[in-house]
């Protein structure tokens, strides 16, 4: 009998579009923006603050402490990401992507520099606007980021942050809400509108606006955003000149369906994957970020390892336990690597999902995250029949009650 070879992903690292490797003829391609600095920011801040506040800590007073912590944390995060992506390659439900033949069930990963993508998206938007016959070079263009990793690079600029709101298992969503840590959507839009009004009065006429997005696959979400802006009379002062996106996987029909006032909105695309079999992936959601939930009347994030991974991560139902175990092991190794390097514990409070983990699963915010993961692993390892929790959701002490 032929021994089965483990399925591992291939990795390609790119700066931006010009040196992108072509999409392989077979298999699935994941597209990932490099996000170590973004994903680990809160954790690193807490580690630095803890060491600086403790004169007895061995690293207290160390020269270039920030750089030292960043280097080690980013290295641990890279290894963690490789482990998680390998688990996804092994456990994905390739049928969700209409891949059925054994040789098609392979995963290729394209990494891109997030900051470079943002710069390129702005440049391409400016080129698109300059080609318009009615373009007025004397007026500024206002860029509005719809994505938390597309961060301010120029003026004028606004952020309109929103996320889908899920139940506590990540199975059902209730529409869109303001992104955790940001104002309600209506207030975000009003603030951007006030900025536009001031510019419009200063320059005499409507201001060109370009929406910046990470990926365009369907028209529905962008049309929802445009409608939200319209409801707030945003376009009294704005000319929606276009949308600039890091990636695009949308069909021609979906692209044409992105409209305002009956007209299709022009798209500037940094990397056009056309209709190749490509999905934008966010591994950090499994530990250092997460899906948006509501607890105690507040929106927050819950790491994806606590979710229904079949629904949220397209995991094969027959491989749920295998995937969860691999991710839990990777999470524990990540925590232990940093705990050993920095001679401290990493409490739940230092992670983005702290309040949700405490409210839903009963782990206090001072519990080391590694201990939380160990408890998840212990519950997962129980023999079938000993644990009534679904295999895809492994609670510590899940609290019942309304999710919203």
């Amino acid at each position: 009998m032929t021994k089965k070879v483990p399925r591992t992903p291939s990795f390609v690292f790119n700066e931006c579009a010009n040196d992108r490797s072509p999409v392989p003829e077979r298999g699935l391609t994941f597209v990932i923006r490099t996000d170590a600095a973004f994903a680990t920011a809160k954790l690193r801040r807490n580690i630095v603050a803890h060491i600086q506040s403790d004169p007895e800590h061995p690293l207290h007073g160390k020269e270039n402490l920030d750089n030292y912590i960043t280097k080690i944390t980013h290295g641990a995060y890279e290894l963690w990401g490789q482990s998680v992506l390998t688990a996804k390659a092994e456990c994905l439900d390739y049928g969700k992507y209409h891949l059925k033949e054994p040789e098609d069930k392979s995963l290729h990963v394209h990494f891109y520099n997030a900051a470079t993508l943002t710069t390129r998206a702005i440049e391409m938007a400016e080129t698109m606007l300059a080609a318009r016959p009615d373009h007025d070079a004397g007026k500024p263009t206002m860029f509005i980021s719809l994505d938390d990793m597309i961060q301010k690079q120029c003026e004028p600029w606004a952020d309109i942050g929103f996320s889908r709101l899920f139940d506590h298992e990540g199975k059902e969503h209730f529409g869109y809400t303001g992104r955790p840590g940001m104002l309600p959507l209506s207030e975000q839009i009003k603030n951007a509108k006030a900025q536009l009004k001031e510019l419009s009065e200063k320059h005499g006429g409507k201001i060109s606006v370009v929406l910046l997005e990470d990926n365009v696959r369907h028209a529905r979400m962008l049309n929802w955003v445009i409608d939200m802006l319209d409801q707030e009379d945003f376009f009294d002062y704005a000319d929606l000149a276009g949308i600039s996106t890091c990636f695009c996987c949308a069909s021609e029909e979906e692209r044409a369906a992105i409209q305002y006032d009956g007209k299709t909105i022009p798209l500037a695309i940094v990397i056009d994957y056309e209709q190749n079999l490509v999905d934008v992936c966010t591994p950090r959601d499994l530990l250092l970020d997460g899906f948006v939930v509501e607890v105690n009347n507040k929106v927050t994030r819950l790491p994806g390892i606590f979710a229904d991974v079949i629904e949220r991560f397209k995991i094969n139902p027959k491989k749920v336990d295998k995937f969860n175990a691999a991710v839990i092991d990777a999470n524990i190794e990540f925590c232990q690597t940093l705990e050993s390097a920095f001679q401290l514990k990493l409490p739940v409070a230092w992670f983005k999902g702290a309040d949700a983990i405490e409210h839903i699963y009963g782990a206090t915010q001072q519990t080391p995250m590694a201990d939380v993961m160990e408890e998840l692993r212990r519950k997962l390892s129980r023999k079938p029949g000993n644990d009534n929790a679904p295999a895809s959701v492994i609670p510590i002490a899940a609290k019942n009650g309304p999710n919203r």
Side-chain angles (χ1 to χ4, degrees), residues 191-324:
N191 289 342
K193 178 184 169 184
Q195 189 178 351
L196 268 175
K197 181 180 179 182
E198 183 179 343
L199 289 167
S200 176
E201 292 172 349
K202 178 179 179 179
H203 292 277
K206 290 187 176 183
I207 301 299
S208 294
V209 167
V210 175
L211 304 180
L212 297 173
E213 179 62 305
D214 67 327
N215 181 43
V216 173
R217 182 180 294 277
H218 301 292
R220 182 177 62 251
M221 184 273 287
L222 285 165
N223 283 336
W224 174 84
V225 174
I226 293 166
D227 185 59
M228 283 279 293
L229 295 174
D230 194 30
Q231 289 178 34
E232 296 289 344
D233 299 323
F234 191 83
F235 300 113
D236 287 354
Y237 309 101
D239 167 30
L240 183 53
I243 298 167
S244 192
T245 182
C246 298
F247 309 113
C248 184
C249 312
S251 66
E252 292 301 324
E253 292 77 12
E254 288 291 328
R255 299 178 197 211
I258 304 170
Q259 297 187 353
Y260 172 66
D261 197 23
K263 297 178 182 178
T264 296
I265 306 301
L267 280 178
I269 303 166
V270 179
I271 303 170
D272 194 346
Y273 278 105
E274 298 174 335
Q275 294 184 62
N276 290 292
L277 196 52
V278 172
D279 203 357
V280 176
C281 181
T282 313
R284 69 176 184 273
D285 281 347
L286 284 157
L287 175 64
L288 291 160
D289 214 312
F291 59 102
V292 175
V293 297
E294 186 174 303
V295 296
N296 295 326
N297 297 314
K298 174 186 173 184
V299 291
T300 184
R301 293 189 182 273
L302 182 66
I305 188 58
F306 297 99
D308 183 319
V309 296
I310 297 173
E311 184 69 24
R312 294 270 52 81
F313 299 98
K314 297 185 174 71
I315 299 303
N316 187 326
K318 296 179 180 179
K319 297 184 177 182
V320 166
D321 286 351
K322 180 178 180 180
F323 178 75
N324 279 334

Side-chain angles (χ1 to χ4, degrees), residues 277-402:
L277 196 52
V278 172
D279 203 357
V280 176
C281 181
T282 313
R284 69 176 184 273
D285 281 347
L286 284 157
L287 175 64
L288 291 160
D289 214 312
F291 59 102
V292 175
V293 297
E294 186 174 303
V295 296
N296 295 326
N297 297 314
K298 174 186 173 184
V299 291
T300 184
R301 293 189 182 273
L302 182 66
I305 188 58
F306 297 99
D308 183 319
V309 296
I310 297 173
E311 184 69 24
R312 294 270 52 81
F313 299 98
K314 297 185 174 71
I315 299 303
N316 187 326
K318 296 179 180 179
K319 297 184 177 182
V320 166
D321 286 351
K322 180 178 180 180
F323 178 75
N324 279 334
V327 172
I328 289 167
D329 286 347
N331 290 352
I332 292 171
E333 183 175 358
F334 173 81
C335 292
Q336 291 179 342
T337 297
L338 298 189
E339 290 177 349
S340 176
F342 304 135
Q343 301 181 49
L344 46 70
K345 294 293 185 180
L346 303 180
V348 168
W350 291 6
F351 291 78
K352 277 188 180 179
D355 44 0
I357 293 171
E358 179 177 46
H359 177 81
I360 301 170
Y361 295 98
T364 69
Q365 296 208 18
Q366 295 311 307
T367 305
M369 181 63 85
D371 290 356
V372 175
M373 292 297 126
E374 289 281 7
E375 177 68 5
L376 293 185
R377 182 163 65 180
R378 183 183 66 79
K379 287 181 176 292
L380 183 65
S381 67
R382 288 179 178 176
K383 293 181 180 180
N386 291 345
D387 191 349
N388 293 323
S392 57
V393 183
I394 317 159
I396 296 174
K399 296 181 180 180
N400 296 320

Side-chain angles (χ1 to χ4, degrees), residues 45-54 57 343-344 350:
R45 284 196 302 270
N46 279 290
I47 293 171
V48 170
H50 176 83
I51 293 173
Q52 290 179 336
S53 68
D54 182 5
H57 193 282
Q343 301 181 49
L344 46 70
W350 291 6

